[in-house]
Amino acid sequence: MVNPLLISYGFLTLAIVSEVTGSAFLQRSQQFTRIGPTLCMALSYVASFFFLSQALKHLPLGFAYAIWGGLGIVLTALISVIVFRQSLDGPAILGISLIIAGVIVMNVFSRSVAH
């Protein structure tokens, strides 16, 4: 039998990937003027919230949402640089580094969730 906490982290991962995918399609939708990317964006966001809701079966809301939001921000910024050729300045990189540090601190030191 698979550990329910491991399954919840799997759902959280799917939620993050879906949210980042939705954000990328949001850029491609060109302010909702392109139907294909707009539909993909909407489906990705629905999937993200579904997977996040499944993760919340065994993860506290504050913890799961912080991980979901934080990693979503970091990965979306990376996608913007790699796929859309947008640049990040020093303060943006510092901010992203602080988000990563926060996620690490929560995962390594927090007693909010059993690991």
Side-chain angles (χ1 to χ4, degrees):
M1 176 112 178
V2 179
N3 183 339
L5 194 58
L6 183 61
I7 292 171
S8 291
Y9 275 108
F11 279 126
L12 184 58
T13 300
L14 290 172
I16 293 165
V17 169
S18 298
E19 189 267 332
V20 171
T21 301
S23 295
F25 277 111
L26 179 61
Q27 175 75 26
R28 293 274 190 217
S29 76
Q30 295 179 357
Q31 294 75 44
F32 308 117
T33 59
R34 297 179 60 217
I35 190 70
T38 299
L39 289 174
C40 289
M41 177 225 44
L43 290 173
S44 295
Y45 282 144
V46 167
S48 179
F49 281 107
F50 170 77
F51 292 133
L52 181 60
S53 74
Q54 297 305 301
L56 294 177
K57 289 181 180 178
H58 297 284
L59 296 173
L61 173 63
F63 181 83
Y65 194 83
I67 302 298
W68 177 75
L71 290 180
I73 290 167
V74 170
L75 294 174
T76 299
L78 288 174
I79 293 294
S80 75
V81 169
I82 294 167
V83 175
F84 300 115
R85 307 277 189 242
Q86 298 171 348
S87 62
L88 299 173
D89 60 9
I93 293 169
L94 174 62
I96 289 170
S97 299
L98 291 170
I99 291 169
I100 293 169
V103 169
I104 291 169
V105 166
M106 285 184 72
N107 276 295
V108 173
F109 300 108
S110 176
R111 290 184 240 184
S112 297
V113 66
H115 293 286

